[in-house]
Amino acid sequence: MLGGSGEILDVGRSKRLFTPQLRRAITARDGGCTAPGCSIPAPWCEAHHIHHWEDGGPTSVENGALLCSHHHHAVHAGAWEISVRQGIPWFVPARYLDPQRRPRRNFYWRPGLAA
């Protein structure tokens, strides 16, 4: 997949770390931390593999999401699962946080998008 200027936005499994071009594209999409209710801006966030690299996930815009350090650790600890719906990261909390595991997303950075 290529960006508007021809930059590569999907490096597959050839690189584990997100390239500057991938990070810019993810930042343009996410704005900041994608965890529900978080307002940490993009420069303070880390790019996270939604389908973890260790489990065969590619390094791509579609498989990336910005997370602040707190939420990045929470995702890796199992407190949240992330999926992407129509280009937007959605979070499903662990059963101990919400027994019904209701999906939620961050409306801070993109408030005008319908749920």
Side-chain angles (χ1 to χ4, degrees), residues 13-77:
R13 301 277 306 155
S14 66
K15 294 184 180 183
R16 178 179 165 269
L17 299 179
F18 288 87
T19 64
Q21 296 83 2
L22 282 166
R23 169 116 183 152
R24 278 194 296 276
I26 294 169
T27 297
R29 182 195 66 203
D30 293 348
C33 181
T34 55
C38 192
S39 61
I40 299 295
W44 298 354
C45 291
E46 303 157 356
H48 168 75
H49 287 86
I50 295 169
H51 178 183
H52 299 299
W53 171 261
E54 295 83 14
D55 297 330
T59 302
S60 65
V61 173
E62 291 82 18
N63 193 43
L66 291 182
L67 294 173
C68 67
S69 181
H70 169 77
H71 287 110
H72 202 171
H73 288 284
V75 167
H76 281 282

Side-chain angles (χ1 to χ4, degrees), residues 1-2 15 20 29 35-36 39 42 46 66 74 79 86-87 90 94 98 101-102 104 108 112:
M1 179 170 143
L2 299 177
K15 294 184 180 183
R29 182 195 66 203
S39 61
E46 303 157 356
L66 291 182
Q86 298 175 335
W90 282 77
D98 177 3
R101 303 195 72 209
R102 292 174 290 237
R104 52 197 79 180
Y108 186 83

